[in-house]
Amino acid sequence: MDAYGPDGSVGTAPYTGLVPHTPKINQQLARYGVKFGIYRDGAFTERLFPFDAIPRIIDAGTWQTLERGLAQRVDALNAYLRDIYGDRQIVRDGVVPEDFAFASSGYLPQCVGIAPPDGIYSHISGIDLVEGADGTWYVLEDNLRIPSGASYPLIARSLCRRCDDTTFRRVPVVDNRDYGARLKAVMDHVNRGGINVVLTPGRYNAAYFEHAYLAEQADALLATPDELFCEDGRLYYRDASGMSRVGAVYRRVSDEFLDPLCFRPDSLIGVPNLMAAYRAGSVAVLNAPGNGAADDKGIYYFVPKMVEYYLGERPILSNAPTYLPFYPDDLAYVLDHADTLVIKDVAEAGGYGVVFGSSLDAAGLEALKRAVRAEPRRFIAQEVVDFTCLPTYMGGEVVPRKADLRAFVLSGATTTVWASGLSRYAREEGSAIVNSSQGGGFKDTWVLSR
């Protein structure tokens, strides 16, 4: 469980030492451009990603269990991606229904037969968890395409040290400054010969700050699409000083925009022929195109079965109790209990497409049921998990707010879990929607070393 004492302390070291510095830290975050961009109603706006200096604190024993469970889960998901774009044995064995697996909007036929370096599809995985009121940790989502968020606790911890380094001398917190080195090690491991680059669509992307910051931390070049080109089946970076071959590209561009000659022809933020170079094996692409086949919210239902199927192990971490309307029995249950469930559109992200049945009136509930009946593959339903609130400094006082945890798992020579993470909290009292795109804030995550 989170390691908070009854008086808001960690052992003899109060976590509240950083609270007075919260305004100053947020001012520094704004100065460094730590913002989150939102596209809404056809307009792009940026706002500060609000930071709360009271961290989430996880004791060493709990973290060891989470670490093993997260690595196990990502290993199984990588095995599934190798299989679904290869022999499809899990489908032939009936573990995942064929018409369910290939109906996923994230499944890309263009990626069939492409073997990424070392068989790694998801190099940087963002796994969203919550801690239930009973102390059980539940996985809510697996983000395997271009999960964002690692930069925020990284820079926040740096600013907290600058404001009050005595706190970190008193509290045995695992140092999180190794994320850049971990990311570089993963890129180097799959590099096909050449430099490492971070591909950003540019200044107006919602996570542009992170692209630039992580490129610096991982000693990689930050590149926009116009700075990259393919020639003779290889990818190159070009600037005023000349051109360099690229061996690994950490892309922060969605699949459908990545290569206009392979996916959307109207994309202006892709690199023509990138997929041809990737297929030829001359460049590694992190994360691999097509990973959406495994982070579809419907496929999430099958991940515990994947752990048993591919690894021969019992899952260490649990899914939230989930129903799949694709199955007739689950559909009947969902329709009968829609007023107590959370209904999620499997193709949505960022907190969009999430509906709490208890928040709807009779007409809204009936409309939701009609949508589920009409397109059962489009939805999953989950029991409402009563997850913990964390103490949060707002308006001059400490108040409880719901919070989740995005843990970052990196797969290279081995699968490792970064001893930190992005804890997102709901700013509205009683709300369970913590996503930054929905107005949430963030906390640092302290993993205790003992």
Side-chain angles (χ1 to χ4, degrees):
M1 295 181 66
D2 290 328
Y4 291 104
D7 60 347
S9 64
V10 187
T12 58
Y15 68 71
T16 52
L18 290 167
V19 168
H21 301 286
T22 298
K24 181 179 179 181
I25 294 169
N26 274 285
Q27 289 170 4
Q28 290 294 310
L29 290 171
R31 178 181 177 185
Y32 286 115
V34 185
K35 298 179 180 180
F36 196 89
I38 300 174
Y39 283 100
R40 184 168 293 165
D41 299 326
F44 177 83
T45 58
E46 280 187 314
R47 65 171 181 80
L48 180 70
F49 194 5
F51 172 69
D52 174 46
I54 303 177
R56 176 194 285 275
I57 301 176
I58 302 177
D59 66 72
T62 298
W63 183 254
Q64 288 175 358
T65 301
L66 291 175
E67 190 173 34
R68 289 187 299 111
L70 288 162
Q72 177 194 62
R73 191 174 181 98
V74 170
D75 283 344
L77 285 162
N78 265 310
Y80 175 73
L81 285 162
R82 286 192 293 272
D83 191 5
I84 205 68
Y85 286 113
D87 294 337
R88 305 175 177 180
Q89 192 63 47
I90 197 169
V91 170
R92 292 206 298 270
D93 288 342
V95 179
V96 179
E98 181 176 11
D99 51 350
F100 192 90
F102 300 121
S104 169
S105 61
Y107 175 78
L108 301 179
Q110 299 95 323
C111 298
V112 172
I114 300 179
D118 215 19
I120 303 169
Y121 280 79
S122 187
H123 309 81
I124 303 98
S125 306
I127 310 299
D128 294 344
L129 310 99
V130 293
E131 184 188 14
D134 61 354
T136 302
W137 284 84
Y138 296 95
V139 175
L140 291 185
E141 289 186 10
D142 306 292
N143 300 282
L144 312 182
R145 299 185 220 198
I146 43 175
S148 63
S151 64
Y152 301 115
L154 196 56
I155 191 170
R157 180 85 62 91
S158 174
L159 293 175
C160 286
R161 280 196 189 90
R162 191 180 301 173
C163 289
D164 178 21
D165 62 346
T166 61
T167 292
F168 296 94
R169 291 201 294 266
R170 294 195 307 268
V171 185
V173 183
V174 177
D175 197 329
N176 75 343
R177 285 175 284 191
D178 63 346
Y179 186 83
R182 287 172 180 257
L183 179 57
K184 183 179 187 303
V186 168
M187 297 182 76
D188 288 345
H189 178 72
V190 296
N191 189 294
R192 300 294 87 187
I195 62 172
N196 293 329
V197 304
V198 175
L199 171 60
T200 177
R203 163 75 180 79
Y204 291 104
N205 184 266
Y208 178 73
F209 160 78
E210 175 158 279
H211 306 168
Y213 188 73
L214 292 183
E216 178 184 357
Q217 292 292 310
D219 193 26
L221 283 173
L222 182 68
T224 52
D226 58 296
E227 294 173 314
L228 298 177
F229 69 97
C230 290
E231 187 174 279
D232 297 328
R234 294 180 176 181
L235 179 67
Y236 293 90
Y237 170 83
R238 174 176 49 208
D239 63 9
S241 62
M243 70 182 203
S244 304
R245 184 181 167 189
V246 177
V249 54
Y250 177 21
R251 54 93 178 205
R252 301 303 298 260
V253 175
S254 298
D255 288 353
E256 63 269 30
F257 297 103
L258 194 56
D259 181 346
L261 300 182
C262 185
F263 302 117
R264 286 186 54 158
D266 61 342
S267 173
L268 300 178
I269 56 173
V271 180
N273 284 316
L274 175 58
M275 287 298 293
Y278 174 55
R279 181 180 288 276
S282 67
V283 65
V285 179
L286 300 78
N287 280 339
N291 277 10
D295 79 0
D296 177 304
K297 290 184 177 68
I299 294 297
Y300 157 94
Y301 176 91
F302 297 98
V303 178
K305 296 180 181 181
M306 293 177 195
V307 171
E308 296 180 356
Y309 181 81
Y310 292 117
L311 308 182
E313 301 169 358
R314 292 189 60 80
I316 296 168
L317 296 176
S318 301
N319 278 8
T322 304
Y323 307 95
L324 211 59
F326 175 84
Y327 292 123
D329 287 349
D330 280 15
L331 174 60
Y333 183 87
V334 171
L335 295 176
D336 287 344
H337 299 84
D339 60 330
T340 66
L341 300 172
V342 184
I343 314 293
K344 296 182 178 181
D345 187 321
V346 301
E348 295 283 359
Y352 297 102
V354 177
V355 179
F356 287 80
S358 59
S359 70
L360 300 177
D361 58 20
L365 201 58
E366 190 53 44
L368 179 62
K369 291 180 182 180
R370 284 197 301 271
V372 174
R373 284 193 200 96
E375 298 180 87
R377 172 61 178 85
R378 180 182 161 191
F379 298 95
I380 63 168
Q382 294 177 326
E383 300 286 354
V384 178
V385 176
D386 181 18
F387 61 99
T388 55
C389 291
L390 297 182
T392 304
Y393 184 71
M394 296 185 68
E397 60 179 342
V398 177
V399 295
R401 289 292 185 268
K402 297 286 188 184
D404 76 348
L405 169 65
R406 174 164 291 182
F408 292 90
V409 184
L410 292 96
S411 301
T414 58
T415 302
T416 63
V417 184
W418 183 40
S420 187
L422 178 68
S423 288
R424 300 174 298 181
Y425 66 91
R427 289 172 59 78
E428 299 297 326
E429 183 177 1
S431 174
I433 303 297
V434 302
N435 306 74
S436 51
S437 57
Q438 302 293 310
F442 80 101
K443 296 170 170 285
D444 192 3
T445 302
W446 291 2
V447 176
L448 301 187
S449 59
R450 63 177 184 272

